[in-house]
Amino acid sequence: MGEPRKQRANGIESRRRILDAAVEIAGERGYEGTSIAAVSARCGLPASSIYWHFKDKDDLIAAVIERSFDAWLSAMDLPGEHSGTPRERVEQMAASVAKSLVDAPDFLRLGLMLALERRPEEPRGRTVFLQVRQVARRRVAEITAALLPDLDDASIDLLATYAVAAADGLFIAHQTDHDAIDLIGLFELHARLLFDAALRLTDPERPHP
Amino acid sequence: MGEPRKQRANGIESRRRILDAAVEIAGERGYEGTSIAAVSARCGLPASSIYWHFKDKDDLIAAVIERSFDAWLSAMDLPGEHSGTPRERVEQMAASVAKSLVDAPDFLRLGLMLALERRPEEPRGRTVFLQVRQVARRRVAEITAALLPDLDDASIDLLATYAVAAADGLFIAHQTDHDAIDLIGLFELHARLLFDAALRLTDPERPHP
Amino acid sequence: MGEPRKQRANGIESRRRILDAAVEIAGERGYEGTSIAAVSARCGLPASSIYWHFKDKDDLIAAVIERSFDAWLSAMDLPGEHSGTPRERVEQMAASVAKSLVDAPDFLRLGLMLALERRPEEPRGRTVFLQVRQVARRRVAEITAALLPDLDDASIDLLATYAVAAADGLFIAHQTDHDAIDLIGLFELHARLLFDAALRLTDPERPHP
Amino acid sequence: MGEPRKQRANGIESRRRILDAAVEIAGERGYEGTSIAAVSARCGLPASSIYWHFKDKDDLIAAVIERSFDAWLSAMDLPGEHSGTPRERVEQMAASVAKSLVDAPDFLRLGLMLALERRPEEPRGRTVFLQVRQVARRRVAEITAALLPDLDDASIDLLATYAVAAADGLFIAHQTDHDAIDLIGLFELHARLLFDAALRLTDPERPHP
DNA sequence: AATGAATGAGGATTCATTCAT
DNA sequence: AATGAATGAATCCTCATTCAT
């Protein structure tokens, strides 16, 4: 009784279990804090089996980042039909991002930890994170450009950078102090600020509000 | 002969050397990544001497946070005389914070790493960081209230929270990509956005810019 | 299309590939240093396939010794027709051995490593090596006896032992320092020394050279 | 009762115990076969203590080589007064070397194992061994030159190389088969062969014995 | 004939910490 | 005020081997 000692090997399933365990732990403790032994304990597979599926710890963490980025992307239900005024659509998007960050925070949490670290041999996970986040930033810039065709490229870049960076900060605040922070409300404010700023960048003569 | 001082038994000097080494390493590698052996190697004192000055690793990291917070505070030359319009003063403050973050980034860098981590036994350094940063947030709220006396408490809180959080995000962006990010410029934008938002919160009827 | 052969199930070919990889690695790193994983990586077959062809690591190493002994034997073209004076023929044989050691050193290199080791459970490869080398020593003794019929058995044994042992030493010197060591020249000297010694053993009264 | 758990720290003594254990094990099993755990078990100190005294395994093995070379040198009582004919003195020296190899075989045994290996990253122990052995070879050359002043340099080099290399081979034979091999007798033969060869090299016209 | 997956034991090394001096 | 030495637990990772397919 209990568990049959030897199930039939199923690589894909095992890989998933390892990644599941690793996201949790890495999301809590960062790169160094994620010990293979802890992952092994949480997923039930021996440490040596982890090394069958991943070359080394670095490889595992990079895979974690990749997979949780994908999960985050698909968790974020960007409104398919583009309805409403530009302002409304910016607000919809902000709300969508806020919700996705509340629901699937692993990607950003681990990624930001890696991003802040500066070790001599940069973990591959950090590189991967910075890359996918560059992609995200570019998407934001494209959407901004589509919504406000009058903006010049430099302004678009500035806004996109600000938008993503500030979102990071709001996320951290929320992670740090779940209860006191109303992430949805802050993202609403964020969207409004951004939109106002965009308008002003479009027409610098426009009077301050 | 040679160097007259510090020959034997200069506790203060040793403590300083240890902390100097620890800031660097902890700023690079975070809590787990900071090994006593590495600190010992970098400061030239044996590991056991570190334990003479600090109870344990936790104590050391907490001291690092405290000291680098102080260093950051004094590096930030907040304009003593409050001159100019409220808008100008907000912009001055933002510039001052931006500059301090470029010059003395250890405090925030290490602090944010600690803030993002979620380990069972919370390191004391994390608590210390969150406390000092709460103090900072309250100061921002006070200054905001002084500048814009018409704002209600909830709005002040929201703005202060947003201000600090977004600043964190901008800082991370700058740390992540020194070259591509113009931190000063982003903080200028940040100040403007905040001020506009404050005005609007003061008088919701005010038309969009 | 492509390569017609070896597509599926060619046991002999696979076995050869494994042994090829194993000689190289074992010749470089010795018994302990030869990991199944390394052999697998070098020959391109999964580790489990190695266990299909060989019972265990011990078996593999023993097979390596056997095969490289055979390769060495056939690489050594012992002059078929016995022509010339005894002295000339000793010199021919020495040259032939020297050349074979330069060309196919795996056998001796790995064998000597095994011979030097003294582990509790003697690897079968070591036994195999010592056996084949005993055979070789006996052959040397026989040839010596044939060339110099006047020598008594004890002298023949002494000479054969010395001949083989010194050859080992010369080989190691050559392996250790390819460039500075003229193996062919040293083997010429070796042959001459041996022949002189044999003559003197035949007739102890013979004056020193 | 039993052993007092905490003796007063004595670094030198501990270092000695570690080296004592390491020589034995490395002499039996070679570089790869020498596990830190095994050394720890044999010397009674925990593995981590070994790392206080030696940087890593490589460092330990190198120290083993160095120390056992010294031990071997002092175990070899080279006859102080140079008495007797050159031939007699060569024979005395050979006997002395033979005896030292029987008594303190660790140096050569481990050294030859290392010398035969060819791993990508050469262990420092191997380098050390090859260096001290170069020193030994040069000493042999000097003594030869002193004994036989008529020999040219090339001949001296050839003889010294041969002398040392063949000695290695004889040693291995003895290690491999303690019982069947009369190392002292073989070294007598070795000395005689060398001396005869030297004479002949001095005067190539000299008739074969 | 071959292999993907798994596994427990053991590899070297570093960890934070202690203790006698 | 400081430190050389020690230490058990934990680190990442590789080992030889097995087994179901």
Side-chain angles (χ1 to χ4, degrees), chain A residues 18-175:
Chain A
I18 295 167
L19 283 173
D20 285 348
V23 203
E24 286 182 43
I25 296 173
E28 282 167 8
R29 299 160 139 78
Y31 186 89
E32 297 261 8
T34 301
S35 80
I36 298 292
V39 175
S40 155
R42 177 118 38 157
C43 73
L45 287 156
S48 48
S49 291
I50 296 177
Y51 284 89
W52 169 259
H53 293 277
F54 302 93
K55 190 184 149 302
D56 54 17
K57 182 172 157 174
D58 220 48
D59 193 34
L60 171 60
I61 301 285
V64 163
I65 287 278
E66 257 156 9
R67 204 193 60 161
S68 60
F69 175 64
D70 292 345
W72 174 70
L73 265 192
S74 52
M76 184 167 45
D77 56 335
L78 279 175
E81 326 95 44
H82 307 294
S83 56
T85 66
R87 176 173 296 272
E88 281 163 3
R89 279 159 62 197
V90 166
E91 278 163 4
Q92 282 164 22
M93 281 171 45
S96 176
V97 170
K99 202 173 141 300
S100 73
L101 292 182
V102 174
D103 292 348
D106 292 321
F107 165 61
L108 242 200
R109 152 177 286 272
L110 173 53
L112 288 175
M113 282 187 207
L114 289 171
L116 280 168
E117 287 184 11
R118 283 254 174 106
R119 64 190 66 231
E121 305 182 47
E122 161 153 350
R124 205 159 65 77
R126 195 182 117 109
T127 318
V128 169
F129 173 74
L130 294 182
Q131 279 166 356
V132 299
R133 118 163 325 230
Q134 270 296 77
V135 172
R137 211 191 56 85
R138 231 169 291 147
R139 282 240 57 204
V140 170
E142 285 164 18
I143 294 176
T144 310
L147 286 177
L148 299 162
D150 295 340
L151 273 176
D152 63 300
D153 280 5
S155 297
I156 287 178
D157 236 54
L158 189 69
L159 277 179
T161 301
Y162 183 87
V164 171
D168 289 342
L170 299 178
F171 170 75
I172 293 176
H174 178 247
Q175 289 290 312

Side-chain angles (χ1 to χ4, degrees), chain C residues 26 29-32 34 57-58 60-66 68 106-119 121-130, chain D residues 28-29 109 113 116-117 172 175-176:
Chain C
R29 301 163 141 78
Y31 185 88
E32 297 260 9
T34 301
K57 180 173 160 175
D58 223 48
L60 170 61
I61 301 285
V64 163
I65 286 279
E66 260 157 7
S68 60
D106 291 322
F107 165 62
L108 241 200
R109 151 178 287 269
L110 174 53
L112 288 176
M113 283 190 206
L114 288 170
L116 279 167
E117 288 184 10
R118 283 257 172 103
R119 63 191 65 236
E121 303 180 46
E122 161 154 346
R124 204 157 65 75
R126 193 181 119 109
T127 320
V128 170
F129 174 75
L130 295 181
Chain D
E28 281 167 9
R29 299 161 140 79
R109 152 177 286 272
M113 283 188 207
L116 278 168
E117 288 184 10
I172 293 177
Q175 289 291 312
T176 297

Side-chain angles (χ1 to χ4, degrees), chain D:
Chain D
M1 259 187 249
E3 320 154 40
R5 208 55 229 275
K6 205 135 217 169
Q7 297 180 229
R8 71 163 142 297
N10 182 345
I12 293 173
E13 161 75 2
S14 294
R15 203 187 134 94
R16 199 186 48 68
R17 276 167 61 198
I18 294 168
L19 284 173
D20 285 349
V23 203
E24 286 183 43
I25 296 173
E28 281 167 9
R29 299 161 140 79
Y31 186 90
E32 297 262 8
T34 301
S35 79
I36 298 293
V39 174
S40 155
R42 178 117 37 157
C43 74
L45 287 156
S48 48
S49 292
I50 297 178
Y51 283 87
W52 170 261
H53 293 277
F54 303 93
K55 191 184 147 305
D56 54 18
K57 183 172 158 176
D58 220 49
D59 192 32
L60 171 60
I61 302 285
V64 163
I65 287 279
E66 257 156 9
R67 205 193 58 161
S68 61
F69 176 64
D70 291 345
W72 173 71
L73 264 192
S74 53
M76 182 167 45
D77 57 335
L78 280 175
E81 327 93 43
H82 305 297
S83 57
T85 68
R87 176 174 293 273
E88 282 164 2
R89 280 160 60 198
V90 166
E91 279 163 3
Q92 281 163 24
M93 280 170 44
S96 175
V97 170
K99 202 171 144 299
S100 73
L101 291 183
V102 173
D103 292 348
D106 292 321
F107 166 61
L108 242 200
R109 152 177 286 272
L110 173 54
L112 288 176
M113 283 188 207
L114 289 171
L116 278 168
E117 288 184 10
R118 280 254 175 109
R119 64 189 68 227
E121 304 182 47
E122 160 153 352
R124 206 158 64 77
R126 194 182 117 108
T127 317
V128 169
F129 174 73
L130 295 181
Q131 278 166 356
V132 300
R133 117 164 323 233
Q134 269 296 80
V135 171
R137 209 191 58 84
R138 230 169 292 146
R139 281 241 58 205
V140 170
E142 284 165 17
I143 295 176
T144 311
L147 287 176
L148 299 163
D150 294 341
L151 273 176
D152 63 299
D153 280 3
S155 297
I156 286 178
D157 236 54
L158 190 69
L159 277 178
T161 301
Y162 182 89
V164 170
D168 289 342
L170 299 177
F171 169 75
I172 293 177
H174 178 245
Q175 289 291 312
T176 297
D177 192 350
H178 266 261
D179 306 325
I181 302 292
D182 168 24
L183 192 61
I184 307 290
L186 280 167
F187 261 83
E188 272 171 26
L189 174 60
H190 186 40
R192 247 183 295 135
L193 291 201
L194 280 171
F195 200 79
D196 289 354
L199 288 190
R200 187 110 62 74
L201 285 168
T202 311
D203 173 10
E205 300 310 305
R206 186 188 299 260
H208 290 307

Side-chain angles (χ1 to χ4, degrees), chain B residues 14-45:
Chain B
S14 291
R15 201 187 135 95
R16 197 187 51 69
R17 276 167 63 196
I18 294 169
L19 283 173
D20 285 348
V23 204
E24 285 183 44
I25 294 174
E28 283 167 8
R29 300 162 140 79
Y31 186 88
E32 297 261 7
T34 301
S35 77
I36 299 293
V39 174
S40 153
R42 177 116 42 156
C43 74
L45 291 155

Side-chain angles (χ1 to χ4, degrees), chain A residues 179-198:
Chain A
D179 306 324
I181 302 292
D182 168 25
L183 192 60
I184 306 291
L186 281 167
F187 261 83
E188 270 170 31
L189 175 60
H190 186 41
R192 246 183 298 136
L193 293 202
L194 282 170
F195 199 80
D196 290 352

Side-chain angles (χ1 to χ4, degrees), chain A residues 28 190 196 200 206 209, chain B residues 118 162 190 196 200 206 209:
Chain A
E28 282 167 8
H190 186 41
D196 290 352
R200 186 112 63 74
R206 186 186 300 260
Chain B
R118 281 252 174 109
Y162 182 87
H190 186 40
D196 290 352
R200 187 111 62 74
R206 186 184 299 258

